[in-house]
Amino acid sequence: MYKLVLYPLRRTFSTSISKLSHSVPKSLEINGVSYQSDPNFTNVTESILNLTDRSLHLNESHPIGILRNIIEHRFNSLPGSHFATFNHFKPIVTKWQNFDSLGFPKDHPGRSVSDTYYINGETLLRTHTSAHEQECFHSIKENNEEAFLISADVYRRDEIDRTHYPVFHQMEGAHLWGRSSEELHHLEKSIKELEQLLKNYTTKIVVKEADPFDDSTRQPYMTNKEALLCEAHLKRSLELIVAEVFSKKIESMKLKKSTEIPDSLQVRWVTTTFPWTTPSWEIEVWWNNDWLEICGCGVVKEQVLRNAGYKADSKIGWAFGLGLDRIAMLLFEIPDIRLLWTKDERFHKQFKKGEITTFKPYSKYPGTLRDVAFWLPDTSEKFKEIHENDIMEIVRNIAGDLVESVKLTDEFLHPKTHRKSLCYRINYQSMDRNITNAEINDLQNKVNHELVSKYGVELR
Ligand code: DAH
């Protein structure tokens, strides 16, 4: 199953390996602002920082921008709701914005340097659009609005393969209501309208509800009725987004006379937890014989609203966070996530504002496999744990988008010396051109050299 919004558990090697010389400049200059670095935290690389001004979500004829537009348009044409849109937030945020304001526990794995790109101990590249919830809740409060949408690029250290890239895009949304009987009546009416809209799609939507959750996940300040209304409005709104996006795809498949057109759209709700919502769910869609996780969501915790300046217990509402890249890849049939980042005209000229078209591969360039096998240094030195993502980072920083995937192919513990050996297989393959053997040798030598000089491994 695709995991696209949740923090996955990652591989850390049980044998630590040393971090020898990690050369971090004293300060970093990013978009004209100077940031003090911190050797214990700073792990952003130039290749990542170079992606921070691409703003693919703002390009209306790029798959990410097209998808964003479709969803924004659907939300903003709902009767009686207006969502303020925030699409220009810069990616550097504080630890407080990204984690503390949302109630992330101090030991949450998402905070670790192996998962997150830190500028220094206090600032980082946002790992999710939820980092801006506080300021958006505050802004809609000041402007007497009730709902918002945020779209932006988000950053996470991750493995390298066709569906993982260190930058991807999310859309965040939230909707609040006051608690007067008039507002609750309005909320009830909106739910009925959403139910009606859901019936209008030619493709039937079949919804499988989540197992009922423990009542203790409900917030005590809300009445039972309020909690149920919030839940129903949230669920019907997201079902509507799924219906809108996937039925557009089904219509385009019909035009193309595709052979495997689904006759219904199956979605299911799964209960889960997030630090700033309770209760919380994920919505998944059955597509290409797999459950695709579309988005995480839930009823906003009262404390989050209070942090944004609302009077205690004055509002109820929901929030969601949706990953755009995997959905765009399915809709436009884009086989490799790197294509979203290419500057090749042969890619860009295939897409038009408002249209879901099928990507036609312009050419397939062959891949070249190279293995790197090494012993982790023995543990008598001063060691710091290395995460698999550190190895990914080295390869990405040297080979950039010329690397298709990096996979651990062998792990071995020497019975006598107790030293550990690892073997990684790198597939070098460009989306846009042929790469020569000489070029690959050069890249591979640099990777080997970095592994030795940064982490003190012994090549085998
Ligand atoms: N920010 C979450 C993530 O990236 C997704 C999410 C879940 C956003 C629940 C929300 C929410 O606003 O209510 O994993």
Side-chain angles (χ1 to χ4, degrees):
M1 191 182 73
Y2 284 133
K3 277 270 163 207
L4 69 143
V5 285
L6 301 177
Y7 287 104
L9 287 175
R10 303 275 171 60
R11 196 193 325 265
T12 310
F13 301 115
S14 47
T15 314
S16 309
I17 73 171
S18 81
K19 242 183 182 165
L20 295 176
S21 57
H22 206 75
S23 52
V24 172
K26 265 207 157 51
S27 69
L28 295 166
E29 190 77 13
I30 309 168
N31 299 332
V33 182
S34 175
Y35 296 88
Q36 198 79 31
S37 68
D38 177 340
N40 289 323
F41 282 93
T42 309
N43 60 0
V44 280
T45 61
E46 211 177 313
S47 67
I48 296 299
L49 289 174
N50 284 340
L51 298 170
T52 56
D53 59 4
R54 292 287 299 278
S55 297
L56 302 182
H57 64 292
L58 297 179
N59 178 348
E60 295 191 324
S61 45
H62 184 283
I64 298 290
I66 297 173
L67 178 60
R68 170 189 66 82
N69 257 334
I70 293 174
I71 305 177
E72 261 179 21
H73 182 74
R74 179 65 277 190
F75 271 120
N76 264 334
S77 50
L78 292 177
S81 294
H82 173 73
F83 289 77
T85 49
F86 298 87
N87 292 337
H88 296 272
F89 283 125
K90 295 269 182 270
I92 297 179
V93 298
T94 60
K95 198 171 69 179
W96 191 84
Q97 284 175 292
N98 203 80
F99 298 120
D100 301 327
S101 70
L102 297 161
F104 273 69
K106 289 277 176 253
D107 60 351
H108 192 283
R111 290 180 183 258
S112 72
V113 283
S114 55
D115 282 29
T116 294
Y117 287 106
Y118 281 88
I119 314 287
N120 55 37
E122 290 306 314
T123 41
L124 50 99
L125 293 178
R126 68 181 157 233
T127 65
H128 56 174
T129 41
S130 310
H132 299 289
E133 273 201 6
Q134 283 280 294
E135 60 207 285
C136 291
F137 275 130
H138 184 73
S139 163
I140 62 168
K141 178 181 168 286
E142 296 297 294
N143 295 319
N144 267 328
E145 292 170 304
E146 74 277 10
F148 65 76
L149 296 173
I150 311 165
S151 295
D153 38 338
V154 302
Y155 298 75
R156 289 189 205 171
R157 301 186 80 211
D158 215 334
E159 57 203 272
I160 301 181
D161 65 29
R162 283 166 171 256
T163 56
H164 289 89
Y165 204 74
V167 194
F168 54 102
H169 300 82
Q170 287 186 332
M171 186 188 281
E172 189 91 6
H175 202 317
L176 299 181
W177 291 269
R179 303 178 66 196
S180 65
S181 53
E182 196 188 334
E183 289 218 43
L184 293 182
H185 178 70
H186 177 69
L187 167 54
E188 238 166 322
K189 194 167 140 243
S190 314
I191 296 170
K192 294 220 170 70
E193 281 161 355
L194 288 167
E195 285 167 352
Q196 196 50 47
L197 286 169
L198 276 163
K199 285 191 191 130
N200 292 347
Y201 288 93
T202 24
T203 309
K204 192 164 176 277
I205 311 185
V206 182
V207 181
K208 187 173 174 291
E209 267 298 338
D211 293 335
F213 49 79
D214 187 344
D215 263 348
S216 66
T217 60
R218 288 218 175 116
Q219 301 182 62
Y221 82 102
M222 282 191 193
T223 64
N224 218 21
K225 178 179 170 189
E226 287 172 332
L228 289 171
L229 288 178
C230 265
E231 175 180 346
H233 194 278
L234 167 62
K235 287 184 168 173
R236 300 303 86 81
S237 302
L238 290 174
E239 285 162 10
L240 192 72
I241 295 307
V242 169
E244 177 77 8
V245 168
F246 284 86
S247 65
K248 270 208 160 54
K249 172 68 181 169
I250 292 173
E251 291 313 311
S252 92
M253 288 164 84
K254 282 183 186 158
L255 282 179
K256 274 197 337 182
K257 306 224 174 348
S258 264
T259 45
E260 283 178 44
I261 300 171
D263 50 14
S264 69
L265 203 52
Q266 288 191 61
V267 303
R268 71 173 182 194
W269 287 100
V270 181
T271 47
T272 183
T273 54
F274 295 104
W276 62 101
T277 50
T278 188
S280 309
W281 300 270
E282 279 158 27
I283 182 169
E284 299 179 349
V285 181
W286 183 252
W287 195 259
N288 290 347
N289 291 319
D290 206 355
W291 285 108
L292 169 74
E293 185 196 315
I294 298 278
C295 114
C297 60
V299 178
V300 183
K301 283 192 185 167
E302 207 268 328
Q303 184 61 47
V304 173
L305 301 177
R306 230 185 266 203
N307 291 350
Y310 285 95
K311 267 214 226 78
D313 300 348
S314 60
K315 296 273 173 183
I316 56 170
W318 54 248
F320 72 85
L322 175 149
L324 294 170
D325 302 59
R326 300 269 173 86
I327 304 175
M329 286 174 76
L330 290 180
L331 294 182
F332 296 89
E333 296 178 32
I334 296 168
D336 189 311
I337 197 163
R338 287 175 296 160
L339 281 162
L340 295 174
W341 295 89
T342 183
K343 292 183 174 165
D344 196 313
E345 263 310 296
R346 289 172 295 177
F347 177 80
H348 290 277
K349 69 179 188 213
Q350 300 195 24
F351 306 103
K352 272 204 206 80
K353 184 178 171 183
E355 283 181 30
I356 296 184
T357 44
T358 301
F359 170 67
K360 291 184 204 67
Y362 30 88
S363 181
K364 172 97 178 133
Y365 298 93
T368 304
L369 297 175
R370 288 296 156 87
D371 285 350
V372 51
F374 51 85
W375 293 109
L376 296 175
D378 83 44
T379 40
S380 57
E381 290 176 51
K382 196 173 151 261
F383 294 108
K384 198 167 175 182
E385 213 165 37
I386 183 176
H387 194 280
E388 185 166 77
N389 283 347
D390 297 328
I391 294 168
M392 300 291 165
E393 203 68 60
I394 287 183
V395 182
R396 209 180 266 293
N397 212 26
I398 290 168
D401 283 358
L402 296 179
V403 55
E404 187 255 4
S405 59
V406 179
K407 291 206 165 52
L408 181 68
T409 50
D410 190 40
E411 201 172 347
F412 160 78
L413 194 65
H414 195 284
K416 289 212 180 96
T417 63
H418 299 295
R419 285 179 81 187
K420 191 179 224 173
S421 154
L422 301 173
C423 180
Y424 279 91
R425 178 157 294 167
I426 305 175
N427 186 16
Y428 293 98
Q429 188 236 349
S430 163
M431 300 308 311
D432 311 320
R433 63 182 179 88
N434 257 316
I435 354 178
T436 63
N437 253 328
E439 212 177 335
I440 294 170
N441 290 344
D442 184 45
L443 294 172
Q444 184 70 18
N445 283 338
K446 285 188 177 135
V447 168
N448 292 350
H449 179 263
E450 279 276 280
L451 281 168
V452 173
S453 68
K454 261 198 180 148
Y455 295 107
V457 308
E458 191 186 317
L459 297 174
R460 296 186 59 187

